[in-house]
Amino acid sequence: MADYVYGPGRTHLFVPGPVNIPDPVIRAMNRQNEDYRSPAVPALTKILLEDVKKIFKTTSGTPFIIPTTGTGAWESTLTNTLSPGDRIVSFLIGQFSLLWIDQQQRLGFNVDVVESEWGRGADLDVLEAKLRQDTAHTIKAIAIVHNETATGVTNNLATVRKLLDAYRHPALVLVDGVSSICALDFRMDEWGVDVALTGSQKALSMPTGLGIVCASPKALEASKTAKSLRVFFDWKDYLKFYEMGTYWPYTPSIQLLYGLRAALDLLEEEGLDNVINRHTRLGTATRLAVEAWGLKNCTQKEEWFSNTVTAVVVPSYIDSGEIVKHAWKRYNLSLGLGLNKVAGKVFRIGHLGNLNELQLLGCLSGVEMVLKDVGYPVKLGSGVAAAAAYLSNSTPLIPSRI
Amino acid sequence: MADYVYGPGRTHLFVPGPVNIPDPVIRAMNRQNEDYRSPAVPALTKILLEDVKKIFKTTSGTPFIIPTTGTGAWESTLTNTLSPGDRIVSFLIGQFSLLWIDQQQRLGFNVDVVESEWGRGADLDVLEAKLRQDTAHTIKAIAIVHNETATGVTNNLATVRKLLDAYRHPALVLVDGVSSICALDFRMDEWGVDVALTGSQKALSMPTGLGIVCASPKALEASKTAKSLRVFFDWKDYLKFYEMGTYWPYTPSIQLLYGLRAALDLLEEEGLDNVINRHTRLGTATRLAVEAWGLKNCTQKEEWFSNTVTAVVVPSYIDSGEIVKHAWKRYNLSLGLGLNKVAGKVFRIGHLGNLNELQLLGCLSGVEMVLKDVGYPVKLGSGVAAAAAYLSNSTPLIPSRI
Amino acid sequence: MADYVYGPGRTHLFVPGPVNIPDPVIRAMNRQNEDYRSPAVPALTKILLEDVKKIFKTTSGTPFIIPTTGTGAWESTLTNTLSPGDRIVSFLIGQFSLLWIDQQQRLGFNVDVVESEWGRGADLDVLEAKLRQDTAHTIKAIAIVHNETATGVTNNLATVRKLLDAYRHPALVLVDGVSSICALDFRMDEWGVDVALTGSQKALSMPTGLGIVCASPKALEASKTAKSLRVFFDWKDYLKFYEMGTYWPYTPSIQLLYGLRAALDLLEEEGLDNVINRHTRLGTATRLAVEAWGLKNCTQKEEWFSNTVTAVVVPSYIDSGEIVKHAWKRYNLSLGLGLNKVAGKVFRIGHLGNLNELQLLGCLSGVEMVLKDVGYPVKLGSGVAAAAAYLSNSTPLIPSRI
Amino acid sequence: MADYVYGPGRTHLFVPGPVNIPDPVIRAMNRQNEDYRSPAVPALTKILLEDVKKIFKTTSGTPFIIPTTGTGAWESTLTNTLSPGDRIVSFLIGQFSLLWIDQQQRLGFNVDVVESEWGRGADLDVLEAKLRQDTAHTIKAIAIVHNETATGVTNNLATVRKLLDAYRHPALVLVDGVSSICALDFRMDEWGVDVALTGSQKALSMPTGLGIVCASPKALEASKTAKSLRVFFDWKDYLKFYEMGTYWPYTPSIQLLYGLRAALDLLEEEGLDNVINRHTRLGTATRLAVEAWGLKNCTQKEEWFSNTVTAVVVPSYIDSGEIVKHAWKRYNLSLGLGLNKVAGKVFRIGHLGNLNELQLLGCLSGVEMVLKDVGYPVKLGSGVAAAAAYLSNSTPLIPSRI
């Protein structure tokens, strides 16, 4: 019954999260509960906390593995570092940055919203202007998504850091890396990010359930004076249990811990830089297909192209929701809907996580058939051909099989 | 490596959470991610929300299945129904009620703590006195654990309701049912409970990850004016998505949803009242064993005996922590530690969730051997014999096998 | 370590067996052992034996679910129906019919081999001639593969029956349906097949481990006098336990029984005729791609085209083994090798079992890239386009999702 | 539906096969099919074939991992080493030796049966007499079960070897180690065993599906001239594929190969000698419980006591079948039935495989309650106490947890 929408063959999961889980991770999670106060779980946790830093490219950060989602990780980030009324400069460039801003406002912060047209990146010129003017350092934090999942736009975090340095501005940099970390090039220490966060169901390729937040020493320091009320999300409780060596202020998911172990092992085996390169390949191939179909990328400039998700603009006579519905009903293909301002106007291809070239080509061939079905005059095979031409030149041998 | 503490045979998991997961639930969760915006997941969720009410014995309540733990479910309960400064009468009877009270204080409520000796239940005489005096209705809520997991004490919720009715007091009744719901007799509607909560890793016998909160119409009404800041835990967002029929304000764990489906199916198959009877059997048998060993139950009176967890007091010359450590090291048996005030003084046998008579007897025989190992003059077989004598008379045939 | 050839993303499994297992089958098999002498396993078996007949399209047949492989199922078929020295007319058309013939010879039968060029079907004219001449009925059995997995050739069993009827010849018809049953149109009763067999790892889409053999009443009758020595494969032992209602002469795999239950449930849900149609679609699409690439199908005539496996002939300057090796090393794609006479000359695309359109298109796009890599001047996208054009017109909506 | 006999809690599986599977093995098998002709599977197989020798304590033997059951492994052993008409001295001491003898007779060998009363071991005095007389070496093989699963009798293989050596008799020694290997002390090389066999679902603690046969150099030599017809079970085919480095003459179960890998890893981790010691402990404890209950062990002398299965004789006024039925129906406990001559007279406790002390004590307490239920005047707790007294003195700390 629970499987009543079963279709033959594999479901082609191309939403930008939750994403495909590698079989070894599913296997690792196929297990009983355990006493999390036995010596085994702290021992496992200790190594996980050490290893998880690598996905943030940090050595100085302190990670928190919280039983929550990305939304909870946002809340953990904000309430631990800021006090009600604090001014945050926040960039609205799509549905997920909008939701984060909504949260910031509801939590009582003073949000200074910098809006861009959906399809464009964060307006860093405006940031610069604000920083220049803010000699009194009223801006306590910059909140920015590394990758806006709704539009497929990647922001330039290195520039954010450069601007802050240029104006010697002490604002905290809070980064939503939900659809970037483990897939795009992200450098917490190098870019001076103060809090970065992701969710397990994104590029880590696990089930939903872990909000992973990493705090710089400066963020940890800020948490000592931040006045936002918090308990479940309070880093202090975690730090207390870190100190004691038992690690968990409340019950963790045993299954997700072993799943995280397996996921990190796979990342280690493939190599994080190879993972990032793979995402570059898959993103580029997708964009070439979109171009070959004669369709527009929602992302307006190459500098913002996202290698984890591509939002494809459909002609005005087509409802992109129909594409998503039809793909699922006829080809067992899950695509992402257009959200809010771009609802009906774009559909999204998520190409992040545990995915390879032929999976993507299968998806692209499915999109072509769906486009034809909804009345768009696509040349079948055109997108696949363009993507394959590129992939055929760029895909390396699988290292373990050479 | 992740399994480096492997011991031959099955781990005997007798902590009061997380508990043993039934194989059909593990199987149901052994799966890929899915697009939670496809029609399948809302359809599944809709039925889950309907069926999950049964574990609360409510027809008028509104459930929220939140990706969090019990601590998060507490926070959801409090912040959605109360405003900072609101007066809560709260009962401190052990470590978990203490932690909840700590949360209440940190969230800015005015907590009126009624403390009992650990091992005794909530002092309802004091509650009566407070209600009698509170003609101005300054008490906004009563916060009480149904079952204190640290001491194995079950509170009498029916009496709480009776007192409120007697004084026509409108205070909300907020119940932590973490170690009771699905195991002990709990009646949300009949007892006029306004918010009840549990966690998936307790008597539901699933992995950690779902905080399940159920709100009465009165609690829902209160949530409209409650001023506590909240976003991740805000019921409003859930209700908005319920309305839309998409159900999830953020990504749920696909695996836990199917796991919950399987868990509820098993509850339905066994019958909730049979489940409760089974827990009565297991609790009684455990207490008989403790008595046979000549040891004391931490719970001071029969009226508070818990059928989900028994805290056993050890003689003063024994450190109960040694018992727990030794059980795990020699017999692959996980027992619960004594916490805080009773650290070193009690160890706990969790007998909740997916457990049967022979599993318990195996555990009890293990406890006997451990007691002997740590120098307590137990007669091996004595507790098992006492428990078996009772179980042999009270265990029914398995209905599906008659 | 066991996964040391891990490559990112899903393995694209397109060998003609073992094939892709549906997730619900993997889930059903994720379980402990059980006592096969408890009432539960016979009850399960009883229904399985009834339901498994459907895949043979028989009501009068008696199935045997044997813990073995296809090779064992062959042996069971032969030794239970024939005596040493018995004359069998057997068709050699590829590697698997060759192996079966080898077995027939080694088991002491008098095998009258009718050989065809590899790529052609069984020569039924020769069969007719032999039947015509065999007025003494020295031919005891016709042994024929329904589908030769090495060359992708499907034989015409209806004609075999027609010839036997025409000459009123009593020879038994023994059919290897390993790569046909559950995928191609197979009609045991209508075609008067006496023994048909398949293996669990083929179109049933399970792990290897069950040889499923179905015997007509005439075959059962023959087994009473057949003098071939046999014990493990002896139907008599099975029949004795069927009679007793305990079903198993020796220990079955509990996991495979539950897996078979799940596999049959999925077949029931999709509908066997829909499954067959799906294979027709996938087979046709594959052949259109091969044509678009300018390559030759090993199968020489349309009447023999197989909808479960396509053997593709490569130009003489290419070693087809390199294609298979390269596909695995670079694209995580498993293709079938050319065997024996066609080693190096063909590679095989298995398109049977739990597979859908986009999986196939992903595979075809991979084959294109591999062809390019090994120096064949393929136009990337050409095969996918041809296949997609056909699939786009012929793929129905998924019934459960309409 | 497939789980319609679900009972709450864990099933206590104490039949002497199939036995409890360790969770890491279940996890390892939770996987897709793979191309067994890819480089990965031969690489895995190569190491498995090397490592599996350890369970036989052989360095000179050649193992065959056959997709079959114990019955098939018997057949493989016989047909590869002997010719029809060959004389075998075979010991009938219970149901499984009887079935093997039946197979030997049906396969056309000249079986010289040496029968013992059920409950006694093989009569080696008779063997000595036969060897003494057989100066012409008409005895081609000795076929003997190491452990008779029906009666819980372990034969003395060292003595068999001694006798053969004493008379310089060249007969092959063929040993059924189905319920001994990986649990009892078995020494293929030291005892000069020529073929030893086991099944995966016994002490290896895996699902059914692998018949593992190991041949000495002398047995391999014999296979070159043995005239028994065989194909599926023919070692020659395996050896041919060993030579080629592809290892499999037909499709193996991918899942069982990875399961075997995990099972051997666990054996390695625990240490085979520790595994054997654990079985000694569990067997001794069981016998002490039987004694405490005032019941008789079917095994008549201590020298034959089995550490993997205990057959318990019930008083004549009780039908042992009722005990087995009742245990399953009321306590979710699976015990072994009495078979053939001892049907109704004994029930069996299997204590082999992945099992620890508390599991056994849970089982023993269940047996006590069942005995009481069927009217035997057992003192509840008596058996458990006796077993626990012994286990409490003999159980070591779990090495990985010290």
Side-chain angles (χ1 to χ4, degrees), chain B residues 122-314:
Chain B
D123 192 333
L124 300 185
D125 293 341
V126 174
L127 175 63
E128 178 162 20
K130 286 181 189 287
L131 291 173
R132 194 184 318 117
Q133 290 157 16
D134 187 36
T135 50
H137 295 170
T138 62
I139 301 170
K140 296 303 175 202
I142 316 291
I144 186 165
V145 298
H146 188 200
N147 187 78
E148 169 58 60
T149 316
T151 55
V153 162
T154 304
N155 284 317
N156 190 330
L157 300 180
T159 299
V160 171
R161 168 48 50 204
K162 225 173 290 169
L163 293 174
L164 283 163
D165 286 354
Y167 295 96
R168 298 175 183 270
H169 198 290
L172 294 166
V173 178
L174 312 180
V175 175
D176 166 340
V178 164
S179 60
S180 79
I181 286 166
C182 288
L184 305 183
D185 187 21
F186 179 80
R187 310 178 184 198
M188 183 162 178
D189 283 3
E190 189 180 327
W191 295 341
V193 170
D194 290 300
V195 188
L197 64 96
T198 190
S200 50
Q201 83 279 17
K202 298 286 182 164
L204 260 172
S205 298
M206 294 174 56
T208 307
L210 301 180
I212 308 182
V213 177
C214 196
S216 73
K218 189 169 143 195
L220 275 194
E221 198 54 37
S223 75
K224 293 180 184 162
T225 54
K227 292 195 173 51
S228 296
L229 295 186
R230 60 196 183 272
V231 179
F232 180 74
F233 290 120
D234 201 337
W235 296 348
K236 190 172 39 132
D237 298 276
Y238 279 84
L239 293 170
K240 187 176 125 196
F241 282 82
Y242 286 8
E243 193 88 1
M244 293 194 294
T246 48
Y247 291 101
W248 297 105
Y250 32 72
T251 321
S253 161
I254 295 300
Q255 291 73 20
L256 287 171
L257 293 187
Y258 284 99
L260 179 57
R261 179 67 270 158
L264 293 174
D265 286 347
L266 291 179
L267 276 176
E268 179 75 19
E269 183 171 342
E270 188 177 357
L272 184 52
D273 288 337
N274 292 331
V275 171
I276 292 167
N277 290 340
R278 178 164 53 79
H279 282 86
T280 305
R281 268 200 315 282
L282 298 177
T284 306
T286 304
R287 289 188 292 272
L288 288 166
V290 171
E291 206 179 299
W293 297 331
L295 290 174
K296 249 186 52 184
N297 193 322
C298 177
T299 311
Q300 299 187 5
K301 284 190 175 173
E302 193 175 335
E303 59 174 298
W304 298 314
F305 279 167
S306 164
N307 286 326
T308 55
V309 58
T310 298
V312 184
V313 180
V314 299

Side-chain angles (χ1 to χ4, degrees), chain D residues 18 34 37 41 118 120 131 175 184 186 212 260 262 276 387 389 399:
Chain D
E34 275 182 46
R37 294 295 182 219
V41 177
W118 289 33
R120 298 182 60 85
L131 291 173
V175 175
L184 305 183
F186 178 80
I212 308 181
L260 180 57
I276 292 167

Side-chain angles (χ1 to χ4, degrees), chain D residues 207-362:
Chain D
T208 308
L210 301 180
I212 308 181
V213 177
C214 195
S216 73
K218 188 169 144 194
L220 275 194
E221 198 53 38
S223 75
K224 294 181 185 161
T225 53
K227 291 196 174 51
S228 296
L229 295 186
R230 60 196 183 274
V231 180
F232 180 75
F233 290 119
D234 201 338
W235 297 347
K236 189 172 40 130
D237 297 277
Y238 279 84
L239 292 169
K240 186 175 126 197
F241 282 82
Y242 286 6
E243 193 88 2
M244 292 193 294
T246 49
Y247 290 104
W248 297 105
Y250 32 73
T251 322
S253 162
I254 296 299
Q255 291 74 19
L256 287 171
L257 293 187
Y258 284 98
L260 180 57
R261 180 67 269 159
L264 293 174
D265 286 347
L266 291 180
L267 276 176
E268 180 75 20
E269 184 171 340
E270 187 176 358
L272 184 52
D273 288 337
N274 291 332
V275 171
I276 292 167
N277 290 341
R278 178 164 52 79
H279 282 86
T280 304
R281 268 201 314 283
L282 298 177
T284 306
T286 304
R287 289 188 293 272
L288 288 167
V290 171
E291 206 179 300
W293 297 331
L295 291 175
K296 251 187 49 185
N297 194 322
C298 177
T299 311
Q300 298 186 5
K301 284 190 174 172
E302 194 175 334
E303 60 174 297
W304 298 314
F305 279 167
S306 165
N307 285 327
T308 56
V309 59
T310 299
V312 184
V313 181
V314 298
S316 58
Y317 59 89
I318 291 171
D319 174 3
S320 68
E322 283 305 305
I323 289 174
V324 173
K325 201 183 292 180
H326 194 77
W328 190 70
K329 284 190 170 183
R330 194 173 187 202
Y331 298 110
N332 211 346
L333 169 62
S334 288
L335 298 169
L337 284 163
L339 299 172
N340 200 331
K341 280 198 183 177
V342 291
K345 299 181 184 162
V346 311
F347 69 91
R348 292 175 296 149
I349 302 173
H351 33 77
L352 74 164
N354 185 56
L355 210 60
N356 60 28
E357 292 76 14
L358 300 201
Q359 285 175 279
L360 180 68
L361 291 171

Side-chain angles (χ1 to χ4, degrees), chain B residues 316-369:
Chain B
S316 58
Y317 59 88
I318 292 171
D319 173 2
S320 67
E322 283 305 304
I323 289 175
V324 172
K325 201 183 292 179
H326 194 76
W328 189 71
K329 284 190 169 183
R330 194 174 188 201
Y331 298 110
N332 210 345
L333 169 63
S334 288
L335 298 169
L337 285 163
L339 300 172
N340 199 332
K341 280 199 184 176
V342 292
K345 298 181 184 165
V346 311
F347 67 90
R348 291 176 298 149
I349 302 173
H351 32 78
L352 74 165
N354 185 56
L355 210 60
N356 60 29
E357 291 76 15
L358 300 200
Q359 284 175 280
L360 180 68
L361 291 170
C363 164
L364 295 177
S365 67
V367 171
E368 293 183 354
M369 295 195 292

Side-chain angles (χ1 to χ4, degrees), chain A residues 62-368:
Chain A
T62 299
F64 304 99
I65 303 173
I66 308 172
T68 190
T69 67
T71 304
W74 281 345
E75 192 156 327
S76 171
T77 298
L78 298 168
T79 57
N80 279 286
T81 53
L82 299 168
S83 302
D86 274 359
R87 181 179 172 201
I88 309 174
V89 173
S90 215
F91 298 91
L92 197 175
I93 66 168
Q95 177 66 6
F96 291 93
S97 40
L98 180 148
L99 286 171
W100 197 15
I101 287 168
D102 174 62
Q103 184 184 70
Q104 292 160 23
Q105 291 168 332
R106 286 162 67 187
L107 290 173
F109 303 111
N110 170 18
V111 193
D112 186 348
V113 178
V114 181
E115 190 163 358
S116 298
E117 197 184 340
W118 289 31
R120 300 182 59 87
D123 191 333
L124 300 184
D125 293 343
V126 174
L127 175 64
E128 177 160 21
K130 286 181 190 287
L131 291 173
R132 194 185 316 118
Q133 290 158 17
D134 187 37
T135 50
H137 295 169
T138 63
I139 300 170
K140 297 301 176 204
I142 315 292
I144 186 165
V145 297
H146 188 199
N147 188 76
E148 168 57 60
T149 318
T151 54
V153 162
T154 304
N155 284 316
N156 190 331
L157 299 180
T159 299
V160 171
R161 169 49 50 204
K162 224 173 292 168
L163 293 174
L164 284 163
D165 287 354
Y167 295 96
R168 298 175 182 267
H169 197 289
L172 294 166
V173 179
L174 312 179
V175 175
D176 166 341
V178 166
S179 59
S180 78
I181 286 166
C182 289
L184 306 184
D185 187 20
F186 178 80
R187 311 178 183 200
M188 182 162 177
D189 282 2
E190 188 179 329
W191 295 341
V193 170
D194 289 299
V195 189
L197 65 97
T198 188
S200 50
Q201 82 279 17
K202 298 287 181 166
L204 259 172
S205 299
M206 294 175 57
T208 308
L210 302 180
I212 308 180
V213 177
C214 197
S216 73
K218 187 170 146 194
L220 274 195
E221 199 54 37
S223 75
K224 294 179 184 163
T225 53
K227 291 198 173 50
S228 295
L229 295 187
R230 60 195 183 274
V231 180
F232 181 75
F233 290 120
D234 201 338
W235 297 347
K236 187 172 41 128
D237 298 277
Y238 279 85
L239 293 170
K240 187 176 124 196
F241 282 82
Y242 286 7
E243 192 88 1
M244 294 194 294
T246 49
Y247 292 103
W248 298 105
Y250 32 71
T251 322
S253 162
I254 296 298
Q255 291 73 20
L256 288 171
L257 293 187
Y258 285 98
L260 179 57
R261 180 66 270 158
L264 293 175
D265 286 347
L266 292 180
L267 276 176
E268 179 75 20
E269 183 170 340
E270 188 176 358
L272 184 52
D273 287 337
N274 291 332
V275 171
I276 292 166
N277 290 342
R278 177 164 53 78
H279 281 86
T280 305
R281 266 199 315 281
L282 297 176
T284 306
T286 304
R287 289 188 292 272
L288 288 166
V290 171
E291 206 179 300
W293 298 330
L295 290 175
K296 248 186 53 185
N297 194 323
C298 177
T299 311
Q300 297 186 5
K301 283 189 175 174
E302 194 175 336
E303 60 174 298
W304 298 313
F305 279 166
S306 164
N307 286 327
T308 56
V309 57
T310 299
V312 183
V313 180
V314 298
S316 58
Y317 60 88
I318 291 172
D319 174 2
S320 68
E322 283 305 304
I323 289 174
V324 173
K325 200 182 293 180
H326 194 77
W328 189 71
K329 285 190 170 183
R330 193 174 188 200
Y331 298 110
N332 211 345
L333 169 62
S334 288
L335 299 169
L337 284 163
L339 299 172
N340 199 331
K341 280 200 184 177
V342 291
K345 297 181 185 164
V346 311
F347 67 91
R348 290 175 298 149
I349 302 172
H351 33 77
L352 74 165
N354 185 56
L355 210 61
N356 60 28
E357 290 76 14
L358 300 202
Q359 285 175 278
L360 181 68
L361 291 170
C363 164
L364 295 176
S365 67
V367 171
E368 294 184 353

